[in-house]
Amino acid sequence: TVVRSLQKLCLTYPAKHRVLVGFMSNFLREEGGFEFKKSIVASIISLIRTVPETTESSLFHLCEFIEDCEFTQLSTQILHLLGELGPATTAPARYIRFIYNRVILENSAVRAAAVSALSKFAAQCPSLRASIMTLLKRTLMDEDDETRDRAAIAVAVLEDAMEKNPYVPPPDDAQAEDIPPDTPVPGDTAAYI
């Protein structure tokens, strides 16, 4: 099919990944059934796994797709992927808005997946914990048990981690090479969410 051909092109010419992933993501915005969109999402995910340079642009395109996605299975799959790969990107905070919008606007399965993704960002990016904690606390009163339970566990673990390992931001005048990586310290229990 067309989607597989585009995927093969991207694997053959990895330097052209931006154009090809952008082209595929345009298909996600068009009308189409579940199977068609599922194959596009699967191709983009496959490209992320085989051509790591596509990760950030592909994740951003997938974030835009879940803004209007009518398929719960695809939304939850993308949210899981965001939770897995998003914290390791160069600017993880850019994905938080897209994820939190799913908590506000979607059905219970997607809300639960979004809470899990937010928890993973907070676990892996100490600089984002305080902001994400605010968002997670808002979901403690969710009507869905699963969403509420995931949020409650995440809040408890993150509060403990924030108390034991408070984040100290680098000074404003710090040079880029002097800023430590935004990763959990050894023994940080939140890193295991």
Side-chain angles (χ1 to χ4, degrees):
T1 66
V2 172
V3 177
R4 280 195 215 114
S5 298
L6 287 171
Q7 183 180 1
K8 285 179 185 175
L9 271 174
C10 199
L11 291 173
T12 307
Y13 304 103
K16 301 290 185 187
H17 72 271
R18 287 193 196 286
V19 174
L20 295 168
V21 170
F23 188 70
M24 281 194 283
S25 72
N26 284 337
F27 284 129
L28 289 174
R29 289 187 217 110
E30 302 297 324
E31 292 297 317
F34 174 74
E35 289 300 322
F36 178 64
K37 294 199 177 190
K38 179 181 168 187
S39 69
I40 295 170
V41 168
S43 290
I44 292 173
I45 292 172
S46 174
L47 288 172
I48 289 172
R49 304 269 188 227
T50 55
V51 185
E53 300 85 44
T54 66
T55 301
E56 295 202 26
S57 63
S58 296
L59 287 179
F60 193 73
H61 287 301
L62 291 173
C63 281
E64 289 178 343
F65 170 61
I66 61 173
E67 288 287 303
D68 293 319
C69 182
E70 59 197 71
F71 304 111
T72 299
Q73 182 181 349
L74 292 178
S75 291
T76 55
Q77 179 184 10
I78 291 167
L79 286 165
H80 174 74
L81 183 73
L82 283 168
E84 178 188 341
L85 301 177
T89 60
T90 57
R94 80 167 64 162
Y95 305 107
I96 302 300
R97 176 181 59 89
F98 292 103
I99 297 170
Y100 188 66
N101 282 347
R102 307 291 49 88
V103 173
I104 297 170
L105 302 170
E106 292 290 344
N107 62 47
S108 59
V110 176
R111 288 196 314 268
V115 165
S116 292
L118 285 173
S119 302
K120 289 178 182 180
F121 272 81
Q124 298 300 318
C125 302
S127 66
L128 299 176
R129 286 183 181 169
S131 300
I132 292 174
M133 278 292 286
T134 303
L135 301 176
L136 288 172
K137 286 181 178 178
R138 292 179 186 168
T139 63
L140 291 173
M141 303 305 281
D142 193 274
E143 63 190 39
D144 178 58
D145 291 347
E146 181 74 20
T147 305
R148 244 188 351 261
D149 291 348
R150 289 182 188 198
I153 290 169
V155 166
V157 171
L158 290 169
E159 280 179 340
D160 181 57
M162 289 170 70
E163 184 179 314
K164 290 178 181 172
N165 304 300
Y167 176 71
V168 179
D172 291 334
D173 61 347
Q175 299 297 320
E177 61 273 357
D178 297 333
I179 298 174
D182 190 16
T183 56
V185 297
D188 188 345
T189 55
Y192 302 103
I193 289 183

